[in-house]
Every structure is written in C-alpha cells, then in structure tokens.
Amino acid sequence: MADFDSGRSERILAEMKKEEQARQAGYREKALKLNPHVCGRCTREFEGKKLRELTVHHRDHNHDNNPPDGSNWELLCIYCHDHEHTRGVQEQRSVDSPAGVQERPTLNHSPFAALAEKFNRSK
C-alpha cells in the first residue's frame, strides 16, 4: 500500500475548495447583476444582508455550464434551492414512476470529480 501523505491531500483539498469558491463567486456576481433579487420559486425579495440567502441554481445541474447571458442560471433562496435538489434526488430514487412521465435531467455534478486527476498530477 502506498504511503499516504495527509499534508499533501489537505493542500490539494484546500486548493480545490478555493477554486470552487472563486468559480462560484464569479458566476454568482454575474447572476446577481443580470437578474432581479427575487427567488424564482417562492418570489421572496432579497436585499442588504439577506442577499446572501439568494443562491444561483444551474438549470441543467452542470456547475461548469456558465454562459455569459446567464441562460443556465436562476436565483433561488437557500430553502427553494435545497428543495430543488432534494426533489431531483427523490425523483431519481423513485423506482415506481408512472408510465408517460418524462425524466428530468440527472443531478450529475460532483465537486470532487477531478480529485483523482489532481492527486495523480501532483505526484
């Protein structure tokens, strides 16, 4: 079994978190400039300190799909955003879906998808 360098893995994870936060900050700022500060589901309005409760939801669930016109984004409050993702997971788990029901896009974004590649590249 190969030696495990916990310091190296902690640095890699910290770097990945930092990159993810930077990417999110970029499209979040753009989405807030393009759209009114209203939740797309419950229609609650946000301003001031409460604005931090407004999140960017990717309609196709692909966090790397960030077109400059914002067509893949919608602003949702943290509660509606959580419900949207929970609802999608519940639908995927449903084995007994009635005939004729259209399948929704899968929730296939994984923030750690490139983790193995980062470990291999840093050797």
Side-chain angles (χ1 to χ4, degrees), residues 30-41:
K30 290 177 188 173
L32 289 171
K33 286 179 184 175
L34 289 170
N35 299 299
H37 300 164
V38 175
C39 175
R41 295 292 192 283

Side-chain angles (χ1 to χ4, degrees), residues 3-121:
D3 290 329
F4 181 73
D5 181 358
S6 64
R8 188 173 119 239
S9 63
E10 287 175 17
R11 286 189 305 275
I12 291 171
L13 286 173
E15 180 184 321
M16 289 180 71
K17 280 184 180 181
K18 188 176 178 181
E19 289 172 3
E20 175 72 12
Q21 288 172 343
R23 187 172 76 229
Q24 286 180 11
Y27 65 71
R28 185 177 194 292
E29 290 302 317
K30 290 177 188 173
L32 289 171
K33 286 179 184 175
L34 289 170
N35 299 299
H37 300 164
V38 175
C39 175
R41 295 292 192 283
C42 69
T43 67
R44 242 174 75 202
E45 294 184 25
F46 293 84
E47 60 184 37
K49 289 183 179 182
K50 295 277 186 180
L51 192 59
R52 68 177 174 238
E53 295 178 19
L54 200 55
T55 64
V56 178
H57 172 65
H58 289 79
R59 291 181 174 142
D60 69 357
H61 303 282
N62 179 353
H63 291 227
D64 294 321
N65 182 9
N66 295 302
D69 67 352
S71 59
N72 189 37
W73 304 326
E74 65 181 326
L75 296 176
L76 300 178
C77 72
I78 56 176
Y79 307 105
C80 291
H81 197 182
D82 185 50
H83 181 262
E84 175 68 20
H85 284 276
T86 302
R87 185 174 59 88
V89 169
Q90 295 299 334
E91 286 176 2
Q92 284 181 358
R93 291 182 181 164
S94 175
V95 180
D96 302 322
S97 63
V101 173
Q102 280 190 328
E103 293 290 323
R104 291 179 51 100
T106 61
L107 301 176
N108 59 4
H109 174 72
S110 172
F112 299 110
L115 186 60
E117 180 183 322
K118 287 242 182 205
F119 275 109
N120 291 334
R121 192 174 7 157

